[in-house]
Amino acid sequence: MASEHADLPQERRLVTEIPGPRSRALQERRTAAVAQGVGSSLPVYVVRASGGIVEDVDGNRLIDFGSGIAVTNVGNANPRVVARASEQLARFTHTCFMINPYEGYVDVCEALNRITPGDHEKRSILVNSGAEAVENAVKIARHATGRQAVVVFDHAYHGRTNLTMALTARNMPYKQGFGPFAGEVYRMPMAYPFRWPTGPDNCGPEAAAQAIDLITTQIGPENVAAVLIEPIQGEGGFIVPGEGFLPALVEFCRKHGIVFIADEIQTGFARTGRLFACEHEGIVPDLITTAKGIAGGLPLAAVTGRAELMDAVHGGGLGGTYGGNPVACAAALAALETIEQDNLVERARAIGDVLLSRLRALAERYDIIGDVRGRGAMVAMELVAGAGDKTPNPEALASVVKYCHAKGLILLTAGTYGNVIRLLPPLVISDALLDEGLTIIEEAFAQL
Ligand SMILES: *Cc1c(COP(=O)(O)O)cnc(C)c1O
């Protein structure tokens, strides 16, 4: 079955200002109906989307450099996802896996056990959101080790539920006014090469030594259940840790019986030019959390890990009403098949080469681009005051993003200091749209 939307022309088209009149009318209704705590960075209301294009209610067609935050890696309304999910939708929509199980759930767990790093025996569980996956990974690590402390890092983002707020670093907007937060969470310095005091080359080993010293002197490794980290930080600003940082942490964890949890919710499923970002440094996590790119846009998330850890929890200790919904499982199987059959890992690498070379050339011309970084189709620019002055520059960022939005380019931001532009195009975007989107970004800097 072909997707109804697969014929959406892959061309940017602006027929009104952005947002247009219909979007503005909807925004008025929304303001009266939806709590303002839920924001939208670009309030154009969507009617359909596929490939690299999102079409709005006014008939504008925007270039998508966001993928709904690294979710639609295989493209929106991907034909395989639509076909398999529709077929499942017509057969049955829900039984609750904890009452009557079904094959799709088992298929997805088998696939995750097969494709995640490491060839040890694994088990998986399926849940609904990234935050829920992280919460469950911590539950499993605590139960399996009989320990309580959880180590996290500066600039980390792990979600918006109570425990994951505590695990997340940034106060505004994620934590402000939402306390009290969960206990036994300890934050360590992050190996952030661009801002490491002694320079990027020393960053990995020095940051690892600091973290290990702090864990040893302030917590005691024997009290630590888990070290939890994003192998490339997402919301924190696409921070690729200094080389050697992750392997040193993994080694320390192994030595002390600490569960190493890789949060690959944003980095997973081909995004970084590998199936999982851990593979770039050859590290094998004990547990891995996945979500976003897993099911082509349907809500699904997972914890996958060492069988002896995952099976340590008593029957009934894990689960949830909707976890591993059959329609979401069907979508996940289609998304995984698409990643493998359409070589999206290689495509992510090719997209990354284009993004990095164009943005590095741009950084040569504009001093306010302090850093260009990332892996595969997960690339960011950090904006600063100027040459030799790394003061964050959120004002320039706001101006660039405003220009791009007005030209019909969906562009996302990130970073603790609100000064990072992040690029997350769908992996099925055409070369032409990729080129056009980058040209709009170049124009945005020219008009500053
Ligand atoms: C998005 C994200 C989460 C939270 O996922 P939700 O599905 O929004 O709950 C957790 N960790 C990372 C690294 C993320 O990018």
Side-chain angles (χ1 to χ4, degrees):
M1 182 167 47
S3 161
E4 181 189 344
H5 304 319
D7 58 353
L8 179 60
Q10 294 297 298
E11 279 165 22
R12 181 173 64 114
R13 178 178 81 175
L14 295 185
V15 294
T16 70
E17 68 279 23
I18 303 287
R22 289 183 176 191
S23 279
R24 291 201 304 270
L26 279 165
Q27 184 69 3
E28 246 172 66
R29 276 174 55 198
R30 172 220 174 110
T31 305
V34 181
Q36 70 148 354
V38 187
S40 293
S41 51
L42 178 52
V44 298
Y45 285 72
V46 176
V47 290
R48 56 178 186 160
S50 88
I53 289 288
V54 171
E55 186 177 282
D56 75 10
V57 284
D58 291 290
N60 298 298
R61 295 196 184 122
L62 293 83
I63 300 176
D64 184 9
F65 269 16
S67 304
I69 320 186
V71 168
T72 53
N73 292 0
V74 298
N76 233 306
N78 175 286
R80 282 194 191 94
V81 172
V82 171
R84 297 216 20 196
S86 308
E87 200 189 324
Q88 177 58 46
L89 200 50
R91 250 187 293 137
F92 66 94
T93 49
H94 174 82
T95 60
C96 186
F97 192 75
M98 300 184 301
I99 299 175
N100 303 120
Y102 37 87
E103 190 173 356
Y105 189 118
V106 180
D107 288 337
V108 173
C109 291
E110 284 173 352
L112 290 170
N113 297 347
R114 172 173 61 84
I115 65 177
T116 49
D119 49 17
H120 50 277
E121 195 172 343
K122 296 175 204 156
R123 305 279 187 270
S124 291
I125 61 163
L126 303 182
V127 291
N128 303 294
S129 70
E132 201 185 346
V134 173
E135 293 241 3
N136 275 285
V138 171
K139 279 169 65 172
I140 293 161
R142 283 178 168 161
H143 199 290
T145 59
R147 305 172 182 177
Q148 293 185 353
V150 180
V151 168
V152 290
F153 294 85
D154 289 338
H155 311 289
Y157 181 83
H158 298 293
R160 294 172 178 271
T161 56
N162 186 262
L163 174 58
T164 59
M165 273 194 295
L167 301 169
T168 289
R170 193 179 179 188
N171 180 50
M172 266 309 271
Y174 307 124
K175 300 166 83 163
Q176 176 66 32
F178 296 137
F181 303 109
E184 288 302 313
V185 173
Y186 300 85
R187 194 167 306 284
M188 298 296 147
M190 176 63 190
Y192 188 168
F194 180 63
R195 294 191 179 276
W196 194 254
T198 57
D201 295 339
N202 302 320
C203 174
E206 284 182 13
Q210 282 186 15
I212 287 166
D213 179 62
L214 290 169
I215 294 169
T216 307
T217 57
Q218 297 186 6
I219 317 170
E222 69 277 17
N223 299 314
V224 179
V227 167
L228 166 66
I229 191 165
E230 301 151 84
I232 298 174
Q233 289 182 321
E235 305 302 302
F238 288 13
I239 301 167
V240 183
E243 208 183 319
F245 182 66
L246 295 174
L249 291 179
V250 170
E251 193 193 320
F252 176 77
C253 287
R254 292 274 183 284
K255 199 167 132 197
H256 295 281
I258 298 168
V259 178
F260 182 86
I261 309 173
D263 181 348
E264 292 244 20
I265 289 168
Q266 193 154 158
T267 49
F269 302 104
R271 174 55 56 186
T272 69
R274 302 272 188 152
L275 260 178
F276 296 97
C278 281
E279 296 167 33
H280 289 286
E281 289 202 71
I283 59 167
V284 175
D286 300 309
L287 300 180
I288 175 168
T289 56
T290 54
K292 293 194 166 93
I294 192 173
L298 276 85
L300 188 70
V303 184
T304 299
R306 292 187 187 279
E308 64 275 20
L309 297 174
M310 298 292 294
D311 279 340
V313 178
H314 51 276
L318 305 172
T321 306
Y322 291 114
N325 170 272
V327 181
C329 285
L333 293 169
L336 293 175
E337 189 185 299
T338 301
I339 290 169
E340 287 177 359
Q341 292 190 0
D342 295 357
N343 298 318
L344 294 186
V345 171
E346 287 73 35
R347 179 63 185 151
R349 242 174 271 160
I351 289 172
D353 289 344
V354 173
L355 294 178
L356 283 174
S357 72
R358 287 279 287 274
L359 297 182
R360 282 184 178 142
L362 196 64
E364 295 285 307
R365 308 217 314 265
Y366 299 98
D367 287 344
I368 59 166
I369 303 175
D371 195 24
V372 174
R373 58 181 178 245
R375 281 185 161 136
M378 183 173 183
V379 168
M381 286 188 283
E382 179 161 353
L383 304 191
V384 296
D389 182 353
K390 293 184 179 177
T391 309
N393 193 343
E395 298 79 17
L397 173 129
S399 167
V400 167
V401 170
K402 191 172 164 221
Y403 179 91
C404 292
H405 285 176
K407 294 287 177 185
L409 174 66
I410 300 171
L411 197 59
L412 310 184
T413 63
T416 298
Y417 311 106
N419 65 328
V420 176
I421 294 172
R422 59 170 152 173
L423 279 58
L424 290 165
L427 306 180
V428 294
I429 195 171
S430 68
D431 288 337
L433 285 178
L434 194 62
D435 176 73
E436 192 177 351
L438 285 163
T439 301
I440 293 170
I441 293 173
E442 288 162 359
E443 289 166 8
F445 277 90
Q447 57 84 47
L448 272 179

Coordinates of all heavy atoms in Angstrom, one line a residue, residues 69 128-132 134 157-161 164 230 232-235 263-267 289 291-292 300-301 422, ligand 1:
I69 N 12.2 16.6 16.0 CA 13.3 16.3 16.9 C 13.8 14.8 16.7 O 13.7 14.0 17.6 CB 12.9 16.5 18.4 CG1 12.1 17.8 18.6 CG2 14.2 16.6 19.2 CD1 11.8 18.1 20.1
N128 N 6.4 3.8 26.3 CA 5.8 4.8 25.4 C 6.6 6.0 25.1 O 6.4 6.6 24.0 CB 4.5 5.3 26.1 CG 3.5 4.2 26.4 OD1 3.0 3.6 25.5 ND2 3.3 4.0 27.7
S129 N 7.5 6.4 25.9 CA 8.2 7.7 25.7 C 9.7 7.5 26.1 O 10.0 6.6 26.9 CB 7.6 8.8 26.5 OG 7.8 8.6 27.9
G130 N 10.5 8.5 25.7 CA 11.9 8.4 26.1 C 12.1 8.5 27.6 O 12.9 7.8 28.2
A131 N 11.3 9.5 28.2 CA 11.5 9.6 29.6 C 11.1 8.4 30.4 O 11.8 8.0 31.3 CB 10.6 10.8 30.1
E132 N 10.1 7.7 29.9 CA 9.7 6.4 30.5 C 10.8 5.4 30.4 O 11.0 4.6 31.3 CB 8.4 6.0 29.9 CG 7.6 5.0 30.8 CD 6.3 4.5 30.1 OE1 5.9 5.0 29.0 OE2 5.8 3.5 30.6
V134 N 14.0 6.0 30.2 CA 15.1 6.3 31.1 C 14.7 6.0 32.5 O 15.5 5.4 33.3 CB 15.4 7.9 31.0 CG1 16.4 8.3 32.1 CG2 16.0 8.2 29.6
Y157 N 20.2 16.0 29.0 CA 18.7 16.0 29.0 C 18.2 14.6 28.9 O 18.6 13.8 28.1 CB 18.2 16.8 27.7 CG 16.7 16.8 27.6 CD1 16.0 17.8 28.3 CD2 16.0 15.8 27.0 CE1 14.6 17.8 28.4 CE2 14.6 15.8 27.0 CZ 13.9 16.8 27.7 OH 12.6 16.8 27.7
H158 N 17.3 14.3 29.9 CA 16.8 12.9 29.9 C 15.3 12.9 30.0 O 14.7 11.8 30.0 CB 17.4 12.1 31.1 CG 18.9 12.0 30.9 ND1 19.5 11.2 29.9 CD2 19.9 12.5 31.6 CE1 20.8 11.3 30.1 NE2 21.1 12.1 31.1
G159 N 14.6 14.0 30.0 CA 13.1 14.0 30.0 C 12.5 14.9 31.0 O 13.2 15.7 31.6
R160 N 11.2 14.9 31.0 CA 10.4 15.8 31.8 C 9.6 15.2 32.9 O 8.8 15.9 33.5 CB 9.4 16.6 30.8 CG 10.1 17.5 29.8 CD 9.0 17.9 28.8 NE 9.6 18.8 27.8 CZ 9.6 20.2 27.9 NH1 9.3 20.8 29.0 NH2 10.1 20.9 26.9
T161 N 9.6 13.9 33.2 CA 8.9 13.3 34.3 C 9.7 13.6 35.6 O 10.8 14.2 35.5 CB 8.8 11.8 34.1 OG1 10.1 11.3 33.9 CG2 7.9 11.5 32.9
T164 N 13.3 12.1 35.6 CA 14.1 12.5 34.5 C 14.4 14.0 34.6 O 15.4 14.5 34.1 CB 13.6 12.1 33.2 OG1 12.2 12.6 33.0 CG2 13.5 10.6 33.0
E230 N 24.2 10.6 27.5 CA 24.0 10.6 26.0 C 25.3 10.6 25.3 O 26.1 11.4 25.6 CB 23.2 11.9 25.7 CG 21.9 12.2 26.3 CD 21.7 13.7 26.5 OE1 21.2 14.3 25.5 OE2 22.0 14.3 27.5
I232 N 26.1 11.4 22.4 CA 26.2 12.8 22.0 C 25.1 13.6 22.6 O 23.9 13.1 22.4 CB 26.2 12.9 20.4 CG1 27.3 12.2 19.8 CG2 26.2 14.4 20.0 CD1 27.2 12.1 18.2
Q233 N 25.3 14.6 23.4 CA 24.2 15.3 24.0 C 23.3 16.0 23.0 O 23.8 16.7 22.1 CB 24.8 16.2 25.1 CG 25.4 15.5 26.3 CD 25.8 16.4 27.4 OE1 26.4 17.5 27.1 NE2 25.7 16.0 28.6
G234 N 22.0 15.8 23.2 CA 21.1 16.4 22.2 C 20.7 17.8 22.6 O 21.2 18.8 22.1
E235 N 19.7 17.9 23.5 CA 19.2 19.2 23.9 C 20.3 20.1 24.5 O 20.3 21.3 24.3 CB 18.1 19.1 25.0 CG 16.9 18.2 24.6 CD 16.2 18.7 23.4 OE1 15.8 19.8 23.3 OE2 16.2 17.9 22.4
D263 N 22.0 6.8 26.9 CA 20.7 7.3 26.5 C 20.9 7.7 25.0 O 21.4 8.7 24.6 CB 20.4 8.5 27.3 CG 19.0 9.1 26.9 OD1 18.5 8.7 25.8 OD2 18.5 10.0 27.7
E264 N 20.4 6.8 24.1 CA 20.5 7.0 22.6 C 19.2 7.4 22.1 O 18.9 7.1 20.9 CB 21.0 5.7 22.0 CG 22.5 5.4 22.3 CD 23.4 5.4 21.1 OE1 23.1 6.1 20.1 OE2 24.5 4.8 21.2
I265 N 18.4 8.1 22.9 CA 17.0 8.4 22.4 C 17.1 9.4 21.2 O 16.3 9.3 20.3 CB 16.2 9.0 23.6 CG1 15.9 7.8 24.6 CG2 15.0 9.7 23.2 CD1 15.4 8.3 25.9
Q266 N 18.0 10.3 21.3 CA 18.1 11.3 20.1 C 19.2 10.8 19.1 O 19.0 11.1 17.9 CB 18.5 12.7 20.6 CG 18.3 13.7 19.6 CD 18.1 15.1 20.2 OE1 18.3 16.1 19.5 NE2 17.6 15.3 21.4
T267 N 20.2 10.0 19.5 CA 21.3 9.7 18.6 C 21.0 8.4 17.9 O 21.8 8.0 17.0 CB 22.6 9.5 19.4 OG1 22.3 8.7 20.6 CG2 23.1 10.8 19.9
T289 N 18.9 3.1 26.2 CA 17.5 3.6 26.0 C 17.3 4.1 24.6 O 18.2 4.9 24.1 CB 17.2 4.7 27.1 OG1 18.1 5.8 26.9 CG2 17.2 4.2 28.5
A291 N 14.2 5.7 21.7 CA 12.8 6.2 21.5 C 12.8 6.9 20.1 O 13.0 6.3 19.1 CB 12.4 7.1 22.6
K292 N 12.6 8.2 20.1 CA 12.5 9.1 19.0 C 12.5 8.4 17.6 O 11.4 8.2 17.0 CB 13.5 10.1 19.0 CG 13.3 11.1 20.2 CD 14.1 12.3 20.1 CE 13.6 13.4 21.1 NZ 14.3 13.5 22.4
L300 N 6.9 5.2 20.8 CA 7.4 3.9 21.2 C 8.8 4.2 21.8 O 9.5 5.1 21.3 CB 7.5 2.9 20.1 CG 7.9 1.5 20.5 CD1 6.8 0.8 21.2 CD2 8.3 0.6 19.2
A301 N 9.2 3.4 22.8 CA 10.5 3.6 23.4 C 10.9 2.2 24.0 O 10.0 1.4 24.1 CB 10.5 4.7 24.5
R422 N 20.7 23.5 15.7 CA 20.9 22.1 15.4 C 20.1 21.7 14.2 O 19.0 22.0 14.0 CB 20.5 21.3 16.6 CG 19.0 21.4 17.0 CD 18.7 20.3 18.0 NE 17.6 20.8 18.9 CZ 17.0 20.0 19.8 NH1 17.3 18.8 19.9 NH2 16.0 20.5 20.5
Ligands
LIG1 C1 13.9 13.5 23.8 C2 14.9 12.8 24.8 C3 14.4 12.2 25.9 C4 13.0 12.2 26.4 O1 12.1 11.6 25.4 P1 10.6 11.8 25.4 O2 10.0 10.8 24.5 O3 10.3 13.3 25.1 O4 10.1 11.6 26.8 C5 15.3 11.6 26.8 N1 16.6 11.6 26.4 C6 17.1 12.2 25.3 C7 18.6 12.1 25.0 C8 16.2 12.8 24.5 O5 16.7 13.4 23.4

